[in-house]
Amino acid sequence: MAQQVEIGVTGDLTPILPQKEDPFANALKMFQLPPNVAFGAPVVHEWVQHRRENIRPWLTFFNTSYLRKPPSATRLTKRVLANIEYFKSNYLFVYLGLVLYCLITSPLLLIAVAASAGVLYLLFLRHKEGMKVNILGKDLPLGQQYALVAICSLPIFYIAGAGAALFWVFGASFLLIGLHAAFYNIDALLATQEDRFDLEEV
């Protein structure tokens, strides 16, 4: 006859509920560089390449047939978040285009940025060759050299009008991206894409 063994199990069991993804937090991730990596040219190149691969077709982005007034305030919020998530790479390139336009239209600021970038590039080349920068008997790592150049460039940027340009870029980006995200009917676009996918499967 088999002997029965009883095992006592006690304790509180708490179920692990799946966490809902926050679309606003996901949309903000488009401006973040990969964490825990050394900042340098390969990292920036990889990040830009990833954004370029995720870009939506510009004809779809500028298609005016999808422009519709949002039916309600609740629907407006959902539409803006959905559009930011779907077109995040496009919006990033719109922002970069406005930055480029601002630099081209203010020559003094363009010269200041080019000079600062040139100094940073020279420091990068010196660091690559193993040459060290010594200030007051202390070797400065590359990150501190970049920070020192940035601090010294601040007065030049101020004189060149970088503050006004920065506010203009942020304001223009917020206005253009906000208007597009508010009026672009993403639901209709996704519905047509799903219909097209279903037709291809049949």
Side-chain angles (χ1 to χ4, degrees):
M1 187 173 180
Q3 186 178 5
Q4 292 183 351
V5 179
E6 291 184 9
I7 299 174
V9 178
T10 60
D12 295 332
L13 295 175
T14 54
I16 299 174
L17 299 174
Q19 294 181 346
K20 290 184 178 179
E21 288 190 8
D22 184 8
F24 185 70
N26 288 338
L28 289 178
K29 286 180 184 175
M30 73 179 200
F31 295 106
Q32 295 176 353
L33 288 174
N36 302 325
V37 288
F39 185 79
V43 174
V44 174
H45 178 70
E46 182 183 330
W47 183 75
V48 170
Q49 187 65 30
H50 179 67
R51 290 292 158 226
R52 286 182 66 187
E53 289 170 1
N54 292 333
I55 202 163
R56 305 293 179 183
W58 288 105
L59 287 176
T60 304
F61 182 76
F62 289 114
N63 192 343
T64 56
S65 62
Y66 289 111
L67 295 179
R68 295 282 182 276
K69 189 176 109 174
S72 65
T74 309
R75 189 70 209 116
L76 171 66
T77 306
K78 290 180 181 177
R79 180 186 284 186
V80 167
L81 293 176
N83 276 323
I84 289 174
E85 178 63 28
Y86 188 78
F87 289 117
K88 57 187 172 185
S89 292
N90 297 70
Y91 289 146
L92 177 64
F93 280 97
V94 167
Y95 172 77
L96 292 176
L98 289 171
V99 169
L100 188 62
Y101 171 78
C102 190
L103 286 175
I104 290 171
T105 55
S106 65
L108 188 60
L109 183 59
L110 182 62
I111 292 168
V113 169
S116 183
V119 172
L120 292 175
Y121 183 67
L122 288 175
L123 289 174
F124 173 74
L125 290 179
R126 287 174 59 93
H127 178 75
K128 201 172 179 182
E129 293 172 1
M131 300 172 72
K132 296 182 179 180
V133 174
N134 192 301
I135 294 179
L136 299 174
K138 185 179 178 183
D139 292 335
L140 291 180
L142 188 62
Q144 290 181 2
Q145 295 173 33
Y146 286 170
L148 186 62
V149 171
I151 290 169
C152 292
S153 299
L154 285 177
I156 299 168
F157 288 156
Y158 178 77
I159 293 168
L166 192 65
F167 279 113
W168 183 88
V169 168
F170 281 141
S173 301
F174 184 78
L175 180 67
L176 292 177
I177 292 171
L179 285 173
H180 185 274
F183 287 97
Y184 196 92
N185 190 1
I186 187 75
D187 296 331
L189 173 66
L190 296 178
T192 55
Q193 287 181 349
E194 286 174 7
D195 292 342
R196 196 179 305 128
F197 180 72
D198 291 340
L199 287 173
E200 287 174 359
E201 276 194 342
V202 171

